Amino acid sequence: MTSRRGRTAWLKDIFRKRVRPAEADPLLLTDAVDTRYFYNAISRHEARFQIGQVVRHKLFPFRGVIFDVDPQFANTDEWYDSIPEEVRPRKDQPFYHLFAENDRTHYIAYVSEQNLIPDDSDVPLSHPDISDWFTMNGSGTYELKKEATN
């Protein structure tokens, strides 16, 4: 029968550092960066719109205030596939969370940047959740409350 030392010695060999970090070769980038690939899922896109900005949808009759931004699509595939192909947006762009409203109702919308335009009307929004997140400043824009930030 092998000794206890003999039974665990192979484990120590496996987990023992064979090369000290100072002796290791530096990591060099030898291939060109593929600009079509999002390394670590970080988007290189800059958002055109900002939190608190009032926007309107290009195709559908609703408007709202932005309360969050995803640098690229971050919803479910089921949600994405439910959009008709002829109007389905690209995933590689910012997507905005809106407190949205139309003539009939209030709701939360998730909209791609390509489908939004700034809303320059002076008509105030009436979504009931806006007052929990924003204060209206003197210039008629929405400012995020400090307690609403994460």
Side-chain angles (χ1 to χ4, degrees):
M1 181 165 211
T2 59
S3 70
R4 181 171 174 85
R5 168 79 179 123
R7 287 184 283 172
T8 59
W10 66 274
L11 279 173
K12 289 180 181 176
D13 288 340
I14 291 172
F15 294 108
R16 184 182 309 142
K17 290 184 179 178
R18 295 197 184 338
V19 178
R20 290 184 176 172
E23 298 170 359
D25 291 331
L27 180 62
L28 298 175
L29 183 62
T30 57
D31 296 327
V33 174
D34 184 351
T35 58
R36 296 170 296 164
Y37 179 74
F38 294 111
Y39 296 91
N40 294 327
I42 296 173
S43 175
R44 296 180 325 267
H45 296 280
E46 291 185 26
R48 268 184 38 208
F49 306 109
Q50 62 186 0
I51 292 174
Q53 186 172 359
V54 179
V55 291
R56 150 179 328 278
H57 199 282
K58 283 182 179 178
L59 305 174
F60 302 110
F62 71 86
R63 57 196 286 264
V65 62
I66 297 169
F67 69 89
D68 196 10
V69 182
D70 293 334
Q72 61 190 22
F73 180 78
N75 208 331
T76 64
D77 288 331
E78 292 81 16
W79 182 90
Y80 187 77
D81 294 338
S82 71
I83 301 170
E85 269 190 66
E86 60 273 5
V87 294
R88 190 176 296 159
R90 298 180 331 274
K91 287 185 175 182
D92 66 336
Q93 62 181 314
F95 276 72
Y96 299 85
H97 300 262
L98 309 177
F99 290 128
E101 59 188 56
N102 59 26
D103 293 339
R104 294 173 295 174
T105 188
H106 301 105
Y107 53 97
I108 292 179
Y110 190 63
V111 186
S112 66
E113 186 170 87
Q114 75 186 55
N115 285 320
L116 290 176
I117 54 175
D119 181 75
D120 298 327
S121 72
D122 293 333
V123 179
L125 294 165
S126 61
H127 193 290
D129 292 332
I130 291 175
S131 62
D132 293 338
W133 286 62
F134 296 97
T135 56
M136 179 74 85
N137 65 22
S139 63
T141 59
Y142 294 92
E143 187 174 319
L144 191 62
K145 291 181 178 179
K146 285 184 171 70
E147 58 269 16
T149 61
N150 54 358

